[in-house]
Amino acid sequence: MPAGIRYVDGPRLSRSLLAAADWVAAGRDELNRMNVFPVPDGDTGTNMWLTLREVAQALRTLGDAPLPQVTEAMAQASIRGARGNSGMMLSQFLLGLRDGLGDRPTATARDLARAIRMGFERLNGALDDPVEGTILTVARDAADEADAAADERDLKVFMRRLVTRAEQSLAGTPELLQALKSAGVVDAGAKGFVRLLDGVKRLIEEGGQAQGAVDRDLVNAAATTEVASDKDYRFCTEVMVRGASLPKPEQARAALRELGGSIVVLESGDLLKAHVHTDTPDRVFALGAGWGTVEYTKAEDMRAQHQALVNKRPVAFVADTACDLPDSAVFEKQIGLVPMQLIVGDRVYRDRLELSAPEFYTRLRTGQEATTSQPTRQAFVEVYRDALRVAEKVVVVTVSKALSGTFANAEAAAKEVAADRIALVDSRSASLGEGLLVLRGLELAAQGMPAEAIATELARVRTQSSGFFVVDKLDRLIRSGRVSRLAGWLGTRLNLKPILTLTSEGVVDQAGRVRGRDAARTKVLALLDRALGAGPRSLRLGVVHAGIHQFAETLRQELVRRYAPKEALVSPITPVLAAHTGMGTWGVFYQVEDGTNAGGKRYE
């Protein structure tokens, strides 16, 4: 919002929320490390970021729209994206904000004050066990200040007053909660809420967000705090269900009370999401199944998270977004993702982070054009530094350097940050050909293998791994230079569907050509039979697709029946790859892990 404006409409609120999401994302590492309440599981920043990332993606898809549409998209996305205790609480506040703004096309300071008050009231009413010194306290004080500033005609002044009051409230949280005072920190969730407000203020005053300094003393103190013994539940558990006859939030909370604590329940229309800290996640999931159709579940071991926060891991992993690993794997396994760049019109998006695959597919279906660019060196620098804060060394796997300059930037960034602590692997592949290498590396790290040996082993594995993929039209691959004009002309002329593969040097080559998807499926299975021979003992498979999920899932099930792999993934093709391959593209990647290392140990 520009300085001095007197009202908020849909586009202005959308830009404000995007700025808030970016500012929370910039501080997520700090928030994670100062997280001590209700348990020090080191994920408050991540949970708030994931919640707001879902909101940001929904708003970018929506584009410029009237205020009621923006607030509804915000509310529904916050439910879908809500993660952990902090994310659930933030979502409750955003739901109340939506209710407070209602159907009005614009909102003044007085309207915003009313909506902020309703955000606090919804949050307060949703908590099974309200605790002062948390986001609840700061939200209340912010609402009080909003009421006091309701007559301000300049929203710049309004937001400045809100942030000042919220920061004062945040500073007082250690006096309200002994766990914070003992650790010498403020509440992480409350600080995340302040960052949200501050992100909006910075947009008004500065036109963007600057990187803030991290208070290392607070961070280090938080990292050594022990789990409180009175609420030592093990699993941070969530379930989301959809149904026509969902229980009321208070009924759901009552049912969950027997299973654990830190209960938050979100409900809007036919969607309900519940969060609880518990020792019995299966019972929570069963309870949810009795309410409606289960759409999402999560159970994270908070003790393991806390231990990982206190003790650095020997090895962390980094990949670029061309790896096509599902979000669930990226988050669960703490893989650092460096975003490639997608240029649509005059806007540059960070691949996956600012434009998701479903959003981009919608644009492709309308004929929208896009170009791509490799990640910047600085993007690698930032992810490396994050990874080295939690691990002694880093293994980096990139898209084939024969296809992109990504490896060169990854290498330059490693020299800038700490070349002796970063091992690089050129996957000589793309999509899940790259992603499966990362998963194998994670297994080897769990077995205690050092980073340099992991990089060597992955280089060996890639020589006996590859994939096959099929595109409906070759025009995008021709424009990108990945397929020659002659091959493209022949395919179009003869109305053939080419089956493409990646060579041992990491370049695209043709493996066959057929007519129609069914024939392509049959041919790909035959090529896999030939490539896999008698059958490896340790095999990983992955299916990728651009907008044909049911076909991809059916194919995955067939691959499991035929080859019995140790793992078989399905994932949408990331936007930066889909920009070159187009809609309807699908592929199968295989990774054979049989073999021995130099010392004679067999890996299976």
Side-chain angles (χ1 to χ4, degrees):
M1 295 183 295
I5 69 170
R6 299 186 178 185
Y7 68 90
V8 174
D9 59 9
R12 288 173 177 170
L13 179 62
S14 182
R15 288 195 294 273
S16 297
L17 290 167
L18 292 174
D22 283 346
W23 191 228
V24 171
R28 67 182 182 272
D29 185 61
E30 176 189 10
L31 298 176
N32 284 342
R33 290 185 174 275
M34 65 192 304
N35 169 205
V36 301
F37 184 84
V39 289
D41 48 356
D43 64 358
T44 289
T46 297
N47 288 333
M48 296 190 87
W49 167 61
L50 291 175
T51 303
L52 288 170
R53 191 186 75 155
E54 190 80 20
V55 172
Q57 289 177 342
L59 294 180
R60 289 189 178 101
T61 301
L62 183 65
D64 287 348
L67 185 59
Q69 289 185 31
V70 170
T71 57
E72 184 60 28
M74 169 196 75
Q76 294 300 320
S78 76
I79 295 177
R80 294 193 304 271
R83 300 287 194 279
N85 199 54
S86 57
M88 297 284 285
M89 294 173 74
L90 180 59
S91 181
Q92 290 285 11
F93 179 84
L94 294 177
L95 287 168
L97 193 72
R98 174 204 61 184
D99 296 343
L101 290 174
D103 295 328
R104 54 178 50 83
T106 62
T108 63
R110 184 165 294 280
D111 298 324
L112 288 171
R114 183 183 308 110
I116 291 168
R117 172 61 61 184
M118 290 190 68
F120 162 72
E121 290 176 352
R122 173 144 188 166
L123 168 61
N124 186 49
L127 297 177
D128 192 59
D129 183 21
V131 177
E132 295 298 336
T134 64
I135 187 174
L136 179 69
T137 302
V138 176
R140 178 192 295 112
D141 289 343
D144 289 346
E145 187 62 29
D147 290 340
D151 291 332
E152 292 286 357
R153 302 187 68 186
D154 184 347
L155 290 180
K156 181 177 180 179
V157 176
F158 179 83
M159 284 306 304
R160 186 182 299 142
R161 289 181 59 173
L162 242 65
V163 171
T164 299
R165 178 69 178 276
E167 288 175 339
Q168 293 169 348
S169 179
L170 175 67
T173 56
E175 298 303 317
L176 299 173
L177 199 54
Q178 184 59 45
L180 304 177
K181 191 170 185 177
S182 298
V185 297
V186 296
D187 182 67
K191 187 173 180 64
F193 183 78
V194 172
R195 287 190 74 93
L196 182 146
L197 298 176
D198 193 35
V200 178
K201 180 177 81 75
R202 286 170 179 266
L203 178 66
I204 297 171
E205 294 182 342
E206 304 170 13
Q209 302 78 45
Q211 295 296 315
V214 176
D215 187 334
R216 295 297 174 192
D217 290 336
L218 296 187
V219 167
N220 292 335
T224 59
T225 304
E226 295 300 325
V227 178
S229 60
D230 59 335
K231 289 192 176 181
D232 190 13
Y233 295 114
R234 181 165 184 175
F235 297 98
C236 179
T237 305
E238 293 171 8
V239 60
M240 183 166 72
V241 299
R242 192 178 297 274
S245 303
L246 297 172
K248 294 184 181 301
E250 55 270 23
Q251 294 172 325
R253 290 201 302 272
L256 290 165
R257 213 167 283 142
E258 298 180 2
L259 304 180
S262 297
I263 298 167
V264 186
V265 176
L266 300 171
E267 180 270 329
S268 181
D270 65 347
L271 196 64
L272 183 145
K273 191 169 188 178
H275 165 278
V276 59
H277 290 176
T278 182
D279 290 325
T280 54
D282 289 346
R283 292 181 63 189
V284 175
F285 302 153
L287 190 62
W291 295 336
T293 301
V294 175
E295 294 195 350
Y296 163 83
T297 62
K298 183 200 83 169
E300 293 180 344
D301 189 329
M302 295 182 290
R303 296 175 192 168
Q305 287 178 326
H306 174 66
Q307 194 61 39
L309 184 65
V310 174
N311 299 323
K312 274 192 172 185
R313 287 175 282 155
V315 185
F317 286 80
V318 168
D320 54 68
T321 50
C323 71
D324 277 345
L325 286 171
D327 283 348
S328 57
V330 171
F331 300 141
E332 177 187 346
K333 301 178 185 300
Q334 302 178 58
I335 302 165
L337 276 192
V338 180
M340 292 198 166
Q341 300 180 90
L342 191 72
I343 301 96
V344 182
D346 59 356
R347 172 81 186 270
V348 179
Y349 295 91
R350 290 177 295 168
D351 184 45
R352 284 182 67 162
L353 304 186
E354 295 180 329
L355 192 62
S356 69
E359 293 165 357
F360 185 59
Y361 295 165
T362 299
R363 299 186 183 204
L364 283 181
R365 290 187 183 99
T366 65
Q368 192 165 19
E369 293 294 327
T371 56
T372 66
S373 180
Q374 63 207 35
T376 65
R377 179 189 56 77
Q378 185 59 33
F380 275 104
V381 166
E382 292 171 359
V383 176
Y384 288 169
R385 286 175 175 162
D386 282 346
L388 288 172
R389 278 195 282 269
V390 299
E392 297 296 340
K393 293 196 175 182
V394 176
V395 173
V396 186
V397 183
T398 74
V399 67
S400 172
K401 65 179 177 182
L403 301 177
S404 168
T406 298
F407 183 89
N409 279 351
E411 190 172 39
K415 292 176 181 177
E416 177 180 339
V417 176
D420 61 331
R421 299 176 64 191
I422 300 173
L424 282 88
V425 178
D426 171 12
S427 72
R428 297 185 184 176
S429 189
S431 187
L432 282 179
E434 174 188 348
L436 296 180
L437 281 175
V438 177
L439 296 183
R440 179 55 176 159
L442 284 158
E443 279 188 346
L444 296 172
Q447 295 170 17
M449 183 180 286
E452 294 79 4
I454 291 173
T456 299
E457 174 62 10
L458 294 185
R460 185 193 68 81
V461 168
R462 77 187 175 196
T463 65
Q464 52 197 41
S465 308
S466 188
F468 306 99
F469 57 101
V470 182
V471 296
D472 275 354
K473 296 181 179 179
L474 284 173
D475 53 335
R476 291 180 179 273
L477 283 174
I478 294 170
R479 284 199 299 273
S480 70
R482 269 66 177 184
V483 170
S484 72
R485 290 188 177 277
L486 175 61
W489 179 83
L490 286 173
T492 303
R493 185 78 173 174
L494 299 174
N495 193 28
L496 296 174
K497 304 298 182 188
I499 298 173
L500 305 175
T501 189
L502 285 151
T503 70
S504 58
E505 291 77 32
V507 298
V508 176
D509 196 10
Q510 187 163 293
R513 51 185 183 269
V514 295
R515 288 186 172 90
R517 184 178 294 168
D518 289 341
R521 178 179 174 279
T522 299
K523 179 66 173 178
V524 165
L525 290 172
L527 289 168
L528 277 173
D529 282 341
R530 186 185 310 166
L532 297 177
R537 286 182 294 274
S538 184
L539 172 68
R540 243 182 260 268
L541 295 172
V543 181
V544 294
H545 67 94
I548 49 172
H549 176 77
Q550 189 55 55
F551 171 83
E553 175 57 31
T554 300
L555 178 59
R556 185 195 72 82
Q557 293 172 11
E558 172 66 14
L559 293 174
V560 170
R561 287 193 295 270
R562 290 170 72 103
Y563 304 113
K566 64 192 292 185
E567 187 171 17
L569 302 177
V570 170
S571 183
I573 298 172
T574 197
V576 79
L577 294 180
H580 296 299
T581 60
M583 293 300 298
T585 298
W586 61 274
V588 177
F589 289 88
Y590 65 90
Q591 181 169 284
V592 176
E593 297 166 0
D594 296 3
T596 60
N597 69 354
K601 179 179 177 181
R602 174 164 293 279
Y603 295 123
E604 298 182 358

